[in-house]
């Protein structure tokens, strides 16, 4: 945040009505044409490549990238992702497409700590270690945001603040109880590094409560710790529809107006969801002040200015073209990242690498052996080419080696075909194994 851009933001916001201000606090922000403010959708994803908006270079899932232990590589990947994000944004904007997943505010990285294997989103993170998570999160943020703080290449978002790593099924009503020591030693450390070392532009709150307070409306988390202790200057966004949980599941408020006011009063600036549609009613009832709303909108306008969305504050990145999307160099970096993410746990008697001359038949067995779904992770873009393990071996070995394939079993059901008996692909896998010199399973 610079003095120049903040003054510009204050000037813009000072000309808005209360209804116009509130409209800019929703993730689908309409244009205010008289002030030269274009419409903007804040929701975009870039966990391991630009996601959900068509073709992009897809990198290994975050937990795989963490296995590289390489901050320079992670920063390069972040730089590629922001380059492609810019190329897509620039071209979409020329076509008048300002829809969801087309913007420059990327809700990544996920720096939650993965210590419970029952948590369904651990693969989005950099693992169980706060120090490594902080290092890699900062590297990715630097790659996404670039090295000019006055002109952001894109805006990163550290999420989900905080302790969003418990039982996924009850995340909307769960109260994460953590000691002060565990909070600072485990769950807050990576966020602190992202704020202080990488100057992350945004922080997203979590669905759950933390020691009794809903994270997206927690004075302790958002004001006392994030802003006062960590010195955070950017904007806070709610997780999607999390503010409705205040009254629907956490029962800390009674109405949606009270929930919206609680979020804003405690430092949440932007609503992914619908609760802030009721913010005007909360304002009319005296539940939230014009000052609190104004402060939030000033922060939101300030980052949009630095991203180059106002005509009189242009971006040095506005000439990046669509040609960069999934270009040869970016795909090569993705392949390198995939190689670096692999971890060989055991190689008894130097069994690997295989000697092609001694292998005439290979059986490739398993429900993920020829599955595209196993390649893509979540929050993913569309690759123009997918190579499964089976296809990769077939291409590499050519006609000299016969490659057999058996699914073996369904990934999670007891049979592959609906009318078949249990384990309907099991015997086929045994037959393939018996026919082969080597099994890759």
């Amino acid at each position: 945040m610079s003095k120049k851009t903040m003054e510009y933001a204050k000037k813009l916001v000072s000309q808005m009505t209360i209804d116009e201000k509130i409209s800019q606090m929703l993730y689908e922000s309409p244009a205010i044409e008289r002030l030269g403010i274009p419409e903007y959708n804040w929701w975009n994803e870039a966990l391991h490549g630009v996601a959900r908006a068509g073709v992009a270079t897809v990198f290994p899932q975050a937990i795989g990238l963490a296995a590289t232990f390489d901050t320079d590589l992670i920063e390069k990947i972040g730089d590629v992702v922001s380059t492609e994000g810019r190329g897509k944004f620039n071209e979409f904007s020329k076509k008048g497409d300002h829809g969801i997943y087309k913007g420059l505010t990327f809700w990544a990285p996920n720096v939650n700590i993965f210590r419970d294997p029952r948590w369904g989103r651990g693969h989005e993170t950099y693992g169980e270690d706060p120090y490594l998570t902080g290092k890699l999160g900062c590297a990715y943020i630097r790659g996404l945001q670039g090295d000019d703080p006055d002109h952001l290449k894109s805006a990163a978002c550290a999420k989900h603040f905080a302790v969003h790593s418990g039982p996924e099924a009850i995340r909307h009503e769960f109260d994460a109880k953590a000691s002060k020591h565990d909070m600072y030693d485990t769950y807050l450390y990576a966020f602190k590094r992202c704020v202080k070392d990488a100057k992350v532009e945004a922080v997203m709150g979590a669905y759950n409560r933390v020691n009794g307070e809903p994270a997206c409306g927690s004075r302790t988390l958002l004001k006392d710790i994030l802003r006062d202790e960590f010195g955070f200057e950017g904007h806070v966004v709610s997780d999607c529809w999390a503010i409705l949980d205040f009254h629907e599941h956490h029962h800390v408020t009674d109405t949606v107006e009270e929930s919206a006011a609680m979020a804003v009063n405690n430092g949440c600036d932007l609503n992914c969801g619908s609760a802030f549609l009721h913010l005007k009613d909360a304002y009319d009832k005296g539940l939230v002040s014009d000052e609190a709303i104004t402060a939030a909108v000033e922060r939101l306008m300030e980052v949009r200015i630095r991203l180059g969305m106002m005509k009189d504050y242009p971006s040095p990145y506005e000439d990046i073209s669509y040609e960069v999307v999934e270009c040869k160099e970016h795909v090569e970096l993705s392949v390198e990242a995939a190689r670096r993410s692999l971890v060989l746990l055991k190689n008894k008697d130097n069994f690997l690498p295989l000697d092609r001359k001694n292998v005439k038949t290979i059986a490739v067995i398993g429900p993920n052996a020829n599955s595209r779904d196993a390649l893509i992770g979540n929050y993913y873009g569309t690759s123009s080419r997918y190579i499964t393990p089976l296809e990769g071996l077939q291409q590499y070995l050519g006609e000299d080696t016969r490659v057999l394939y058996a699914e073996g079993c369904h990934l999670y059901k007891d049979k592959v075909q609906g009318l078949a008996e249990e384990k309907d692909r099991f015997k086929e896998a045994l037959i393939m194994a018996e026919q082969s010199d080597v099994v890759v399973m």
Side-chain angles (χ1 to χ4, degrees):
M1 185 180 291
S2 70
K3 187 177 179 182
K4 180 180 178 182
T5 53
M6 197 61 210
E7 286 175 354
Y8 185 0
K10 286 179 181 290
K11 181 181 176 183
L12 268 182
V13 178
S14 70
Q15 300 172 71
M16 295 181 189
T17 66
I18 188 67
D19 289 305
E20 287 173 330
K21 290 176 189 176
I22 290 171
S23 76
Q24 299 304 300
M25 297 172 71
L26 293 154
Y27 78 97
E28 298 175 291
S29 299
I32 305 178
E33 292 180 5
R34 66 184 182 84
L35 298 178
I37 300 171
E39 67 176 296
Y40 184 63
N41 193 306
W42 291 79
W43 190 342
N44 206 353
E45 305 287 355
L47 181 67
H48 54 116
V50 183
R52 295 181 172 180
V55 170
T57 304
V58 180
F59 292 91
Q61 180 67 294
I63 197 74
L65 293 176
T68 70
F69 284 77
D70 190 331
T71 53
D72 291 338
L73 178 67
I74 304 304
E75 186 168 344
K76 280 182 191 172
I77 291 169
D79 182 53
V80 163
V81 174
S82 59
T83 296
E84 294 197 2
R86 268 287 169 181
K88 292 170 84 73
F89 172 80
N90 292 341
E91 294 301 326
F92 284 134
S93 296
K94 289 175 188 175
K95 298 287 188 291
D97 188 347
H98 303 285
I100 191 169
Y101 312 131
K102 308 289 175 62
L104 294 169
T105 40
F106 292 123
W107 292 347
N110 183 339
V111 293
N112 291 132
I113 301 302
F114 185 25
R115 288 193 168 170
D116 188 335
R118 297 169 299 175
W119 182 39
R121 294 179 66 174
H123 52 88
E124 289 180 35
T125 75
Y126 299 121
E128 67 177 0
D129 183 71
Y131 179 78
L132 179 67
T133 297
K135 285 289 186 184
L136 298 184
C138 285
Y140 196 59
I141 291 162
R142 284 192 292 268
L144 287 178
Q145 296 191 166
D147 54 11
D148 181 353
D150 292 331
H151 297 90
L152 291 172
K153 197 174 177 192
S154 67
C157 176
K159 66 183 187 185
H160 312 79
F161 194 67
V163 206
H164 178 70
S165 47
E168 187 74 0
I170 57 170
R171 64 186 185 177
H172 295 283
E173 67 255 23
F174 179 64
D175 187 10
K177 296 185 183 296
S179 68
K180 189 171 183 179
H181 176 97
D182 205 22
M183 285 293 291
Y184 280 87
D185 210 43
T186 305
Y187 297 108
L188 299 178
Y189 177 80
F191 287 100
K192 183 177 183 179
R193 297 275 59 86
C194 291
V195 170
K196 287 186 168 291
D197 301 344
K199 308 298 181 200
V200 68
E201 200 290 314
V203 168
M204 177 183 281
Y207 285 115
N208 49 276
R209 277 170 288 156
V210 179
N211 294 326
E213 294 179 288
C216 289
S218 168
R219 179 171 293 270
T220 303
L221 285 175
L222 302 181
K223 286 200 166 183
D224 298 346
I225 295 174
L226 185 62
R227 295 216 182 270
D228 295 345
E229 283 186 41
F230 295 176
F232 178 64
E233 294 183 339
H235 77 275
V236 171
V237 57
S238 75
D239 206 340
C240 296
W241 285 267
I243 294 170
L244 298 181
D245 290 339
F246 293 8
H247 57 280
E248 291 180 356
H249 300 293
H250 296 310
H251 305 298
V252 297
T253 55
D254 293 321
T255 66
V256 66
E257 293 86 2
E258 290 176 4
S259 297
M262 182 182 190
V264 175
N265 289 333
N266 289 316
C268 183
D269 306 308
L270 181 70
N271 180 206
C272 179
S274 58
F276 283 9
L277 290 169
H278 304 269
L279 203 49
K280 181 59 162 44
D281 291 336
Y283 170 79
D284 290 340
K285 291 177 181 178
L287 299 173
V288 62
S289 67
D290 183 40
E291 290 78 15
I293 291 169
T294 297
V297 182
E298 286 173 352
R299 286 190 282 264
L300 298 174
M301 287 297 113
E302 196 274 339
V303 66
R304 290 188 63 182
I305 292 165
R306 282 195 289 151
L307 285 166
M309 295 183 193
M310 310 305 165
K311 285 183 179 177
D312 50 358
Y313 196 89
S315 169
Y317 306 109
E318 62 188 22
D319 294 328
I320 295 176
S321 76
Y322 213 91
E323 291 177 5
V324 300
V325 176
E326 208 189 38
C327 64
K328 181 173 181 286
E329 293 78 11
H330 294 177
V331 172
E332 287 173 350
L333 183 65
S334 177
V335 173
E336 173 64 15
R339 289 194 183 106
R340 301 281 297 282
S341 74
L342 300 176
V343 179
L344 181 63
L345 297 178
K346 188 176 182 180
N347 193 20
K348 188 176 180 181
D349 300 326
N350 293 313
F351 183 72
L352 298 174
L354 299 175
D355 185 348
R356 290 175 65 175
K357 293 192 289 289
N358 297 329
V359 179
K360 297 303 177 188
T361 306
I362 288 183
V364 184
I365 297 172
N368 284 332
N370 200 34
S371 167
R372 277 194 179 185
D373 285 345
L375 300 178
I376 59 179
N378 70 336
Y379 291 111
Y380 54 88
T382 303
S383 177
S384 62
R385 188 182 183 199
Y386 295 88
I387 304 170
T388 66
L390 175 64
E391 291 168 336
L393 284 164
Q394 288 168 333
Q395 289 175 28
Y396 178 72
L397 294 168
E399 296 181 0
D400 295 335
T401 304
R402 187 174 183 196
V403 180
L404 305 176
Y405 164 62
E407 194 171 351
C409 63
H410 190 277
L411 188 62
Y412 56 90
K413 297 177 182 177
D414 60 8
K415 53 190 167 188
V416 173
Q417 291 294 329
L419 296 177
E421 295 84 13
E422 291 183 11
K423 295 187 175 181
D424 59 327
R425 291 288 188 271
F426 193 77
K427 293 295 193 297
E428 182 188 37
L430 288 176
I431 293 166
M432 295 300 175
E434 289 170 353
Q435 302 274 328
S436 304
D437 301 313
V438 173
V439 174
V440 178
M441 189 161 70

